[in-house]
Amino acid sequence: MSLTAIASAEVLRQVRRIEVRTRRLVDSRFAGEYRSLFKGQGMEFAEVREYQPGDEVRSIDWNVSARMGKPFVKRYVEERELTVMLAIDLSGSARFGTRARFKHDLAVELAGVLSLAAVRNNDRVGLMLFTDQVEHALPARKGRKHALRLIRDLLSVEPEGRGTSMAAAVDRLMRLLPHRSVVFLASDFLTEDAEKPLARLAQRHDVIAITLEDPAERHLPDIGPARLEDPESGEIVEVDTSHPLVRAAFAKRVADAEEARRRLFGRLGLDEIIVHTEHGYVDALLAFFRARSRRPHGAVRTGPRGTLGDAASRYGWNGEGRP
């Protein structure tokens, strides 16, 4: 048997294992939550009409209003079927983990749950994998066979790039999704210049950020002198992990990055699901479904053990996986 055939057989076995594991979760815990939250949320453009008192200001079409000299709004009708797009970061930093799995493994299993929940609800689901370029795109379709193809592609695509380009990812998503869709964007968001692409995506689609984290990225291990390599740029630095100033600088950088990400998502109105290689995703995803279904306003943020909140501190979230 050739190496290619062996590799293909192993991928199929992995697809089957993921299907069995995630299908149980979908059948027992996620299907009802998904259906109650997302069914009927797809919207399709219908027409532009003159503004009437009581219309949402956000629905004003400013280009048409400028041409006509008075305000006009866009009107949408509800679609019976929803399109769900899974956008997964395959950059070098996503293939990192110090616990039972890599961050990428978390994204694969989470994508399996979401894709099976979508097809069970007769929704369309698609996939896009990206690094500093778009590595693979699978248009949204319905059906179990398509969901299994999606999981297979997640397991088998070997990325050519190592960096992260949110702009390249969003450009392709905007072309793939002609109508308003739900976009689950899984990444560690360790990248610069994400605000403009994310703002562009959020203007047209319902964007849910899935932040992939590993404990070693939050707390520098005290192992003395160490040589560290950036998995995306390849840059190597030597640091003394036991030095108090080094540890303090690392802690501050992590805190600043988390605060910047949280403020960015808040400005854009993006929901966020934080999942850890240490804790998995089940509690955080369930908490997201439930929190979002009952939120009065604002974005939802759920953590690795299901901690949630529009304002995370209101629920005791401390950013370390502990309520």
Side-chain angles (χ1 to χ4, degrees):
M1 184 180 291
S2 68
L3 290 176
T4 300
I6 293 172
S8 298
E10 176 57 27
V11 167
L12 290 177
R13 281 194 291 271
Q14 291 183 57
V15 170
R16 179 59 181 161
R17 283 198 297 269
I18 288 175
E19 183 196 14
V20 170
R21 191 160 58 238
T22 57
R23 183 171 290 281
R24 288 172 183 163
L25 284 170
V26 170
D27 290 344
S28 63
R29 304 184 70 178
F30 288 116
E33 304 285 353
Y34 174 95
R35 185 179 300 110
S36 64
L37 180 59
F38 289 119
K39 193 59 181 173
Q41 297 225 354
M43 303 299 289
E44 184 174 7
F45 175 75
E47 63 178 355
V48 175
R49 63 164 173 77
E50 192 170 346
Y51 176 87
Q52 298 174 3
D55 286 338
E56 279 278 353
V57 175
R58 289 177 296 180
S59 65
I60 293 177
D61 187 322
W62 296 106
N63 291 329
V64 174
S65 300
R67 290 197 302 270
M68 302 300 293
K70 52 186 175 182
F72 278 75
V73 297
K74 292 180 180 179
R75 192 175 72 83
Y76 295 86
V77 295
E78 186 176 272
E79 292 181 319
R80 289 195 304 271
E81 297 171 354
L82 183 67
T83 296
V84 175
M85 179 60 68
L86 308 175
I88 311 296
D89 179 359
L90 292 186
S91 63
S93 61
R95 294 179 175 268
F96 174 81
T98 61
R99 294 300 190 266
R101 59 195 125 189
F102 293 146
K103 291 186 285 183
H104 170 255
D105 297 330
L106 267 182
V108 169
E109 199 160 316
L110 186 52
V113 166
L114 292 170
S115 61
L116 290 172
V119 299
R120 177 168 175 166
N121 205 45
N122 204 35
D123 290 331
R124 298 179 294 269
V125 61
L127 175 70
M128 193 196 70
L129 307 175
F130 68 96
T131 55
D132 47 21
Q133 62 189 28
V134 175
E135 302 283 349
H136 178 71
L138 185 66
R141 295 190 179 91
K142 296 191 290 185
R144 173 179 173 272
K145 184 181 294 186
H146 177 70
L148 297 181
R149 160 76 187 281
L150 184 153
I151 297 171
R152 187 200 71 187
D153 290 354
L154 264 171
L155 291 167
S156 60
V157 170
E158 289 294 332
E160 296 180 2
R162 295 176 63 184
T164 306
S165 173
M166 207 62 70
V170 168
D171 284 345
R172 178 62 68 86
L173 286 170
M174 297 297 279
R175 294 198 297 271
L176 282 171
L177 301 170
H179 305 298
R180 183 171 176 82
S181 305
V182 175
V183 179
F184 286 92
L185 178 58
S187 174
D188 50 23
F189 297 99
L190 301 176
T191 180
E192 304 286 341
D193 303 323
E195 181 165 4
K196 287 184 179 179
L198 290 178
R200 181 183 171 205
L201 188 65
Q203 284 179 346
R204 187 168 182 178
H205 302 289
D206 182 1
V207 182
I208 299 155
I210 302 175
T211 302
L212 309 171
E213 293 189 347
D214 184 86
E217 296 172 322
R218 304 188 60 82
H219 306 286
L220 187 65
D222 188 351
I223 57 174
R227 178 175 294 179
L228 308 177
E229 179 180 352
D230 187 315
E232 297 195 9
S233 68
E235 179 184 359
I236 295 176
V237 296
E238 295 184 356
V239 297
D240 182 357
T241 62
S242 299
H243 197 290
L245 291 180
V246 171
R247 298 181 65 79
F250 182 86
K252 184 177 186 306
R253 183 171 181 176
V254 169
D256 289 348
E258 180 180 11
E259 180 63 20
R261 186 186 77 230
R262 185 173 169 182
R263 288 182 179 275
L264 171 61
F265 292 168
R267 287 197 302 274
L268 300 181
L270 305 189
D271 292 337
E272 182 183 19
I273 309 171
I274 303 170
V275 293
H276 281 189
T277 56
E278 184 176 20
H279 302 298
Y281 62 88
V282 175
D283 288 344
L285 188 56
L286 277 173
F288 163 75
F289 286 151
R290 293 166 183 170
R292 180 161 165 161
S293 67
R294 63 173 179 262
R295 69 179 177 190
H297 56 77
V300 167
R301 187 171 190 253
T302 64
R305 291 194 179 166
T307 312
L308 58 119
D310 303 316
S313 59
R314 196 175 71 192
Y315 293 86
W317 169 255
N318 62 12
E320 298 178 357
R322 300 189 301 273

